[in-house]
């Protein structure tokens, strides 16, 4: 994997305090000690804006960070004179201000302790903070103190129960709206992770975790996607799940040992950096005017001088973890085994690992070009930050210079994960990266599957106790009666299906001699699959269906598609069109409602064939299909009438409890509605209109119809709407899916309304120009008006329906409730 690198900010006379993300995706904010804050554009490789510190008495305690919610910068400074007593203050200044002195420009807020780091608080909404609201401005960052306390700006720190005494803060990280603070109890080997929500800064939990060994030290950490990634000094990269029960130890999610990241005991880690602090850079005397320009030139010349071997050998820095997103983390280190030849090492090794699956995705060696400048006392790798401009866009602080590195990091794909986890195949790039980063021994242990022992099945316990397992003589019980190691073997029936598919593919290539030979082979294949509850692959079914349609062997094709439905017609383009051209409308009606993804061009061709003008051969096929359905519908109506008359003669009247009779009558009415008042071409349209189409595809097809074809389609849809407003139920009963009722299946009311809406949308500008459009619109208005009137009448039942569904008493408007009055009968008689 290739990478690009260039020096964004060369080493100057003052040391760089830290790096952070700028306002734009390609911008990086560089905080220079005793100088100021500079914003660079990594894309244009130029300085965008800068602010000087303004006072030699101010020192940066933390790096400057940009907060989008307030559109401001923040940094913590400390007065270095003796009168200030080490008081630290939070500086904030808006990004819109011009370059000026921070001492005069920024607002200063006194803090209540020694600060370790500050982190931006993400905005709750898109509205920015009012610049005049200083309380909201100060709450734009979360302040992490060196003693482990966390506060929102200058507010009081969050109270955390059961905090051990003597905590030493190691690092802090943010991920979306979560803040993770890692501390270590002095004198103990365990670590503690404290989680907070940045919105309102509420404490979530405290969790402890132990190092993998007594000698392992925490080198670097990253926090993203709910996982805490820890790189230990022995090269072990562990990802912890940060969502356990509070108070319980963290659970290790994945583990990978990076052999090149195994550090010596003298290397600088987070555990020993406070015991062995870096020596401060020698402060140069400040000058003004010509002397200042001269001192700057001398410093620049000194930066270009090579470093001696002894000074190079004394510089030992620890690797760093950089979160890249999508569960990917980059481990960056400066190789210590390079031959310097009198010059400082200018190479970096970047290993990208996936913390979700515990595999290595890539290993890259980056050569840093000359021009950054190296100082003998300057540390090596100090900080690494990812920019929002890309997953592999990194900015590094190394040898007091700022470097931009772009690696080709991509989110994990199935191919890369399979290659990274299949370490037995060293030809894959991801497998090569794993072998390079993990080593042969680690790869061998990962590639070897564990032996899983399975206990005896429960249903065999009674057989063993009664002795039937030993006396029955059934050999197949023996394998279940004793624990066995799990072995992955193909079932014999599955192998037989694969052999049948191979024979079928051979027949499709060379062709059958006659139709009966093909029918016999397909019948045997489908029977075997049905008896063993197996199925042919979708690819084989699609290829076979295309061959049978080309040969016009419709009966064999019907048997195949009844046994195995072809859900995606896009795998067999032209199949539906061939059925229409061959007059196989019954077969078409049986497969279309169960299929998806009819190709757009094929749907257009079918509509243009069935809508006027229709060719004579196709018109004859449509008439034949319609006549057959009309005969079946007439027979169903006659049988239903005869059944009703027999029921009346036997019982005197129709019984509402005879379900079989009502189903027979409903089937007859449904069959009659599918053919009555429709032309033969409209009867053949039922299958196409009953299929579910993507709205975008259907709209594109309808726009390509001519005006006359659009009018004919509108008349067909209005006829169906008229039936639904009459005696046809808009909910299809279950018996419609039976084999003898499939040819009578009509589009549902939802399908009809979708087709009508898209049809009017496609021809809204030209529909009124067609002859007969006024009658169609008038008819549609009548149907809609009838439906609106029915809905208005039904809306009056809303109140009583709510009472009935809630089993509450039903009030009446003309009478008072019985509990509010009584009736007495008075009889007045005059004697």
């Amino acid at each position: 994997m290739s990478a690009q690198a260039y020096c964004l900010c060369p080493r100057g006379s003052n040391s760089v305090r830290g790096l952070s993300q700028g306002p734009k995706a390609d911008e990086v904010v560089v905080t220079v000690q005793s100088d100021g804050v500079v914003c660079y554009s990594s894309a244009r490789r130029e300085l965008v804006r800068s602010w000087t510190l303004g006072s030699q008495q101010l020192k940066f305690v933390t790096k400057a960070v940009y907060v989008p919610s307030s559109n401001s910068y923040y940094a913590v400074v400390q007065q270095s004179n003796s009168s200030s007593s080490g008081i630290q203050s939070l500086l904030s200044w808006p990004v819109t201000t011009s370059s000026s002195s921070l001492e005069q420009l920024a607002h200063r807020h006194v803090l209540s302790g020694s600060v370790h780091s500050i982190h931006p608080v993400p905005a709750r909404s898109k509205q920015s903070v009012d610049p005049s609201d200083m309380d909201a401005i100060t709450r734009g960052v979360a302040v992490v103190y060196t003693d482990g306390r966390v506060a929102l700006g200058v507010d009081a720190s969050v109270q955390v129960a059961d905090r051990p005494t003597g905590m030493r803060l190691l690092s802090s990280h943010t991920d979306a709206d979560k803040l993770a603070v890692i501390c270590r109890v002095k004198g103990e080997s365990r670590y503690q992770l404290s989680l907070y929500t940045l919105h309102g800064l509420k404490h979530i939990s405290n969790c402890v975790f132990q190092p993998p060994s007594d000698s392992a030290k925490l080198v670097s950490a990253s926090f993203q996607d709910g996982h805490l990634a820890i790189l230990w000094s022995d090269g072990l990269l562990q990802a912890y799940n940060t969502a356990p029960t509070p108070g319980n130890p963290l659970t290790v999610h994945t583990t990978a040992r990076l052999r090149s990241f195994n550090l010596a005991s003298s290397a600088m880690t987070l555990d020993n950096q406070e015991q062995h602090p870096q020596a401060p850079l020698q402060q140069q005397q400040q000058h003004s005017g010509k002397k200042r320009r001269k001192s700057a030139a001398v410093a620049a010349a000194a930066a270009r001088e090579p470093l001696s071997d002894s000074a190079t050998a004394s510089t030992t820095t620890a690797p760093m973890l950089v979160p890249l997103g999508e569960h990917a983390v980059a481990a960056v280190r400066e190789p210590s085994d390079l031959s310097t030849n009198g010059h400082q090492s200018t190479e970096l090794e970047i290993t990208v690992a996936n913390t979700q699956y515990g595999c290595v995705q890539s290993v890259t060696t980056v050569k840093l070009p000359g021009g950054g400048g190296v100082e003998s006392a300057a540390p090596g790798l100090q900080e690494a930050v990812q920019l929002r401009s890309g997953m592999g866009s990194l900015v590094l602080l190394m040898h007091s210079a700022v470097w931009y590195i772009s690696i080709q990091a991509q989110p994990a794909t199935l191919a890369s994960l399979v290659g990274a986890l299949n370490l037995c195949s060293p030809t894959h790039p991801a497998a090569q990266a794993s072998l390079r980063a993990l080593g042969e021994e680690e790869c061998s242990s990962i590639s070897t599957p564990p032996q899983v022992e399975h206990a005896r099945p429960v249903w065999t316990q009674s057989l063993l106790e009664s002795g039937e397992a030993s006396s029955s003589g059934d050999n197949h019980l023996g394998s279940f009666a004793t624990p066995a190691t799990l072995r992955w073997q193909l079932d014999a029936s599955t192998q037989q299906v694969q052999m049948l598919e191979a024979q079928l593919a051979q027949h499709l290539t060379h062709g059958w001699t006659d139709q009966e030979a093909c029918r016999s082979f397909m019948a045997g294949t489908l029977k075997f699959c049905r008896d063993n509850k197996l199925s042919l692959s979708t690819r084989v079914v699609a290829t076979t269906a295309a061959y049978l349609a080309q040969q016009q062997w419709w009966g064999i094709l019907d048997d195949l598609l009844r046994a195995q439905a072809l859900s995606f017609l896009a795998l067999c383009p032209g199949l539906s069109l061939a059925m229409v051209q061959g007059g196989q409308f019954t077969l078409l009606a049986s497969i279309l409602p169960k299929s998806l993804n009819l190709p757009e061009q094929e749907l257009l061709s079918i509509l243009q064939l069935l809508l006027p003008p229709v060719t004579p051969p196709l018109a004859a096929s449509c008439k034949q299909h319609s006549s057959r359905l009309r005969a079946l519908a007439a027979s169903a109506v006659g049988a239903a009438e005869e059944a009703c008359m027999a029921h009346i003669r036997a019982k005197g009247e129709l019984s509402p409890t005879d379900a079989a009779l009502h189903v027979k009558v409903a089937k007859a009415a449904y069959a009659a509605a599918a053919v009555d008042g429709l032309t033969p071409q409209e009867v053949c349209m039922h299958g196409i209109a009953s299929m579910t189409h993507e709205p975008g595809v259907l709209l594109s097809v309808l726009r390509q119809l001519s005006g006359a074809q659009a009018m004919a389609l509108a008349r067909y849809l209005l006829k169906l709407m008229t039936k639904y407003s009459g005696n046809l139920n808009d909910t299809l009963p279950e018996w419609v899916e039976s084999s003898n009722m499939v040819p009578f299946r009509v589009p549902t009311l939802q399908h009809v309304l979708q087709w009508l809406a898209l049809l009017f949308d496609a021809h809204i500008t030209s529909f009124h120009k067609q002859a007969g459009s006024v009658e169609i619109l008038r008819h549609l208005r009548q149907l809609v008006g009838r439906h609106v009137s029915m809905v208005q009448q039904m809306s009056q039942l809303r109140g009583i329906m709510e009472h009935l569904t809630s089993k509450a008493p039903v009030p009446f408007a003309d009478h008072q409730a019985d509990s509010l009055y009584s009736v007495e009968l008075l009889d007045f008689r005059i004697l």
Side-chain angles (χ1 to χ4, degrees):
M1 185 176 67
S2 60
Q4 298 179 355
Y6 59 84
C7 183
L8 186 63
C9 176
R11 180 185 63 83
S13 58
N14 295 318
S15 62
V16 177
R17 186 63 181 85
L19 311 174
S20 63
Q21 173 69 55
K24 296 183 179 180
D26 66 320
E27 292 182 353
V28 56
V29 180
V30 181
T31 306
V32 184
Q33 191 64 274
S34 303
D35 195 349
V37 178
V38 185
C39 183
Y40 289 93
S41 171
S42 61
R44 301 193 302 269
R45 305 189 185 185
E46 63 181 12
L47 186 147
V48 179
R49 62 186 67 88
S50 63
W51 297 269
T52 61
L53 196 54
S55 174
Q56 299 298 326
Q57 304 298 328
L58 291 179
K59 302 295 180 183
F60 284 109
V61 178
T62 66
K63 61 184 179 182
V65 296
Y66 169 74
V67 180
S69 61
S70 60
N71 198 26
S72 301
Y73 291 95
Y74 296 80
V76 177
V77 297
Q78 180 178 352
Q79 198 81 12
S80 60
N81 54 15
S82 58
S83 60
S84 61
S85 301
I87 297 177
Q88 298 182 2
S89 303
L90 177 65
L91 298 184
S92 62
W93 67 97
V95 70
T96 55
T97 57
S98 59
S99 299
S100 181
S101 170
L102 294 180
E103 187 181 23
Q104 302 174 355
L105 178 66
H107 299 280
R108 186 178 299 187
H109 315 276
V110 178
L111 298 174
S112 60
S114 178
V115 178
H116 175 271
S117 58
I118 57 176
H119 301 275
V121 176
R124 287 181 176 270
S125 62
K126 295 183 179 180
Q127 296 180 354
S128 59
V129 178
D130 185 4
S132 61
D133 189 356
M134 296 309 301
D135 292 338
I137 292 292
T138 57
R139 295 188 181 94
V141 291
V143 180
V144 181
Y145 292 93
T146 55
D147 57 359
R149 294 181 296 114
V150 180
L152 199 61
V154 297
D155 294 348
S157 59
V158 178
Q159 298 296 327
V160 178
D162 301 330
R163 181 192 298 275
T165 58
M167 298 292 293
R168 184 167 61 87
L169 191 143
L170 300 182
S171 63
S172 57
H173 313 270
T174 58
D175 176 34
D177 62 337
K178 297 291 190 302
L179 171 64
V181 179
I182 303 176
C183 300
R184 181 175 183 177
V185 181
K186 293 183 178 180
E188 299 184 12
S189 60
R190 61 188 178 97
Y191 298 84
Q192 176 175 293
L193 171 68
S194 301
L195 292 178
Y196 301 84
T197 57
L198 289 175
H199 291 304
L201 201 64
K202 298 180 180 179
H203 180 255
I204 300 176
S205 62
N206 286 334
C207 304
V208 296
F209 59 99
Q210 300 284 347
S213 62
D214 296 338
S215 60
K217 304 296 181 182
L218 195 151
V219 176
S220 183
S222 71
F223 181 52
Q224 66 168 347
D225 302 323
H227 288 161
L228 175 68
I230 300 293
L231 179 62
W232 302 97
S233 58
D234 58 356
L236 194 65
L237 177 62
Q238 291 184 326
Y240 295 85
N241 182 17
T242 59
T245 305
N248 291 344
L250 292 177
T251 57
V252 178
H253 185 70
T254 57
T255 300
R257 187 177 297 277
L258 309 179
R259 59 174 182 173
S260 60
F261 286 78
N262 190 355
L263 303 180
S265 59
S266 60
M268 185 65 66
T269 63
L270 289 178
D271 278 336
N272 59 19
Q273 65 180 355
E274 291 193 6
Q275 282 79 1
H276 307 283
Q278 298 177 1
L281 297 179
Q282 184 178 359
Q283 298 294 331
Q284 297 185 0
Q285 184 179 359
Q286 301 296 326
H287 302 279
S288 61
K290 296 182 179 180
K291 292 184 178 181
R292 181 173 184 176
R293 289 192 295 269
K294 181 178 180 181
S295 63
V298 172
R304 293 189 291 268
E305 294 181 357
L307 187 66
S308 62
D309 291 339
S310 60
T312 304
S314 62
T315 304
T316 304
T317 57
M320 288 190 176
L321 292 181
V322 185
L324 302 180
E326 301 290 342
H327 297 282
V329 60
V332 186
R333 79 179 185 97
E334 184 180 7
S336 58
D337 54 351
L338 295 177
S339 177
T340 58
N341 294 325
H343 297 278
Q344 180 72 9
S345 169
T346 57
E347 286 191 4
L348 287 176
E349 180 182 318
I350 302 178
T351 301
V352 179
N354 188 286
T355 58
Q356 185 176 12
Y357 299 101
C359 59
V360 176
Q361 294 184 240
S362 63
V363 179
T364 308
T365 300
V366 183
K367 285 186 174 293
L368 302 182
V374 176
E375 186 180 3
S376 59
L381 183 61
Q382 298 173 261
E383 189 175 5
V385 177
Q386 184 207 20
L387 297 183
R388 297 196 309 268
S389 56
M391 186 174 179
S393 299
L394 304 178
V395 178
L396 276 65
L397 176 59
M398 184 174 177
H399 301 305
S400 297
V402 180
W403 300 84
Y404 174 81
I405 298 177
S406 176
I407 59 176
Q408 296 179 357
Q410 299 292 337
T413 61
L414 179 60
S416 65
L417 290 177
V418 169
L421 296 175
N422 185 19
L423 302 178
C424 296
S425 175
T427 58
H428 196 280
Q432 294 178 355
S434 298
L435 289 171
R436 177 181 174 184
L438 304 178
E440 295 183 1
E441 183 178 354
E442 184 76 9
C443 291
S444 177
S445 62
I446 294 176
S447 302
T448 304
Q451 297 294 327
V452 181
E453 296 293 333
H454 292 267
R456 182 182 295 109
V458 177
W459 62 270
T460 62
Q461 299 295 330
S462 59
L463 296 178
L464 292 175
E465 294 174 359
S466 61
E468 294 180 8
S470 59
S471 61
S472 61
D474 294 334
N475 296 328
H476 68 277
L477 292 178
S479 60
F480 290 102
T482 58
T485 302
L486 179 63
R487 300 182 182 274
W488 298 102
Q489 297 179 349
L490 290 176
D491 188 79
S493 58
T494 306
Q495 295 179 354
Q496 184 68 20
V497 169
Q498 293 179 353
M499 294 176 58
L500 292 175
E501 288 185 351
Q503 296 177 11
L504 181 57
Q506 185 177 4
H507 283 297
L508 293 176
T509 303
H510 302 286
W512 276 279
T513 57
D514 55 9
Q515 184 175 354
E516 291 303 322
C518 177
R519 188 189 306 275
S520 176
F521 179 84
M522 292 302 302
T525 301
L526 296 178
K527 182 178 183 302
F528 180 84
C529 293
R530 182 172 57 255
D531 294 342
N532 292 276
K533 297 181 180 180
L534 299 172
S535 59
L536 300 173
S537 63
T538 306
R539 177 184 56 82
V540 172
V541 173
T543 306
T544 307
Y547 176 83
L548 296 176
Q550 182 181 5
Q551 299 295 327
Q552 296 187 357
W553 294 346
W554 304 114
I556 307 176
L557 179 60
D558 190 9
D559 295 339
L560 174 64
L561 296 182
R562 287 181 185 275
Q564 288 194 224
L566 189 60
S567 302
F568 298 96
L569 291 177
L571 298 176
C572 189
L575 178 62
S576 302
L577 182 59
M579 292 181 182
V580 173
Q581 293 172 342
Q584 302 299 315
F585 296 103
T586 303
L587 179 58
L588 183 68
S590 64
I591 68 169
L592 287 184
K594 303 176 182 179
S595 303
L596 299 173
N597 298 338
L598 184 64
E600 178 180 342
Q601 193 60 39
E602 188 173 355
L603 176 60
L604 176 62
S605 300
I606 293 175
L607 291 179
Q608 291 176 342
L609 284 175
L610 295 177
L611 295 173
V614 182
T615 60
L618 185 60
S621 299
C622 293
K623 186 176 181 180
Q624 182 181 1
H625 176 71
S626 177
S627 300
R628 189 174 65 86
L629 291 187
R630 291 180 189 278
L632 293 176
S635 176
V637 171
E641 291 178 351
E642 183 179 352
C644 289
M645 295 302 297
H647 189 86
I648 292 175
R649 286 193 298 267
K651 298 185 178 181
E653 60 179 359
L654 291 176
S655 174
T657 60
D658 193 344
L661 179 62
H662 282 276
V663 169
K664 182 175 293 187
V665 173
K667 286 184 177 181
Y670 196 89
V675 295
D676 287 347
L678 300 174
T679 65
Q681 290 79 19
E682 290 173 343
V683 173
C684 297
M685 279 283 297
H686 291 337
I688 294 297
S690 300
M691 184 182 179
T692 301
H693 302 278
E694 290 291 337
V697 174
L698 184 57
L699 179 61
S700 176
V701 169
L702 296 177
R703 283 175 177 171
Q704 301 179 56
L705 297 178
S706 64
Q709 292 172 340
M711 292 290 294
L713 182 58
R715 292 190 185 96
Y716 163 69
L717 296 173
L718 285 179
K719 289 179 182 179
L720 295 180
M721 280 198 65
T722 304
K723 294 178 181 295
Y724 278 117
S725 63
N727 58 353
L728 189 62
N729 192 355
D730 59 348
T731 303
L732 296 181
E734 296 180 356
W735 43 258
V736 174
E737 301 297 337
S738 61
S739 58
N740 60 338
M741 292 300 298
V742 167
F744 296 101
R745 179 178 179 132
V746 297
T748 63
L749 180 60
Q750 182 179 2
H751 285 140
V752 173
L753 294 177
Q754 181 190 29
W755 278 71
L756 269 176
L758 294 177
L759 180 63
F760 287 140
D761 189 8
H763 295 270
I764 189 64
T765 59
S766 60
F767 193 80
H768 66 282
K769 300 179 182 179
Q770 303 296 326
S773 60
V774 177
E775 289 76 8
I776 292 178
L777 294 177
R778 183 181 295 113
H779 189 190
L780 180 60
R781 180 180 180 182
Q782 293 176 356
L783 294 176
V784 174
R786 187 186 309 173
H787 182 73
V788 171
S789 176
M790 180 186 64
V791 172
Q792 289 176 348
Q793 295 177 10
M794 294 181 62
S795 64
Q796 300 177 3
L797 302 177
R798 179 179 178 182
I800 192 172
M801 292 302 298
E802 291 181 355
H803 281 270
L804 292 176
T805 54
S806 60
K807 298 182 180 181
V810 180
F812 294 93
D814 298 337
H815 304 281
Q816 296 181 353
D818 295 342
S819 60
L820 301 181
Y821 71 96
S822 61
V823 177
E824 295 181 1
L825 179 63
L826 303 179
D827 187 5
F828 295 94
R829 297 183 181 183
I830 301 176
L831 300 177

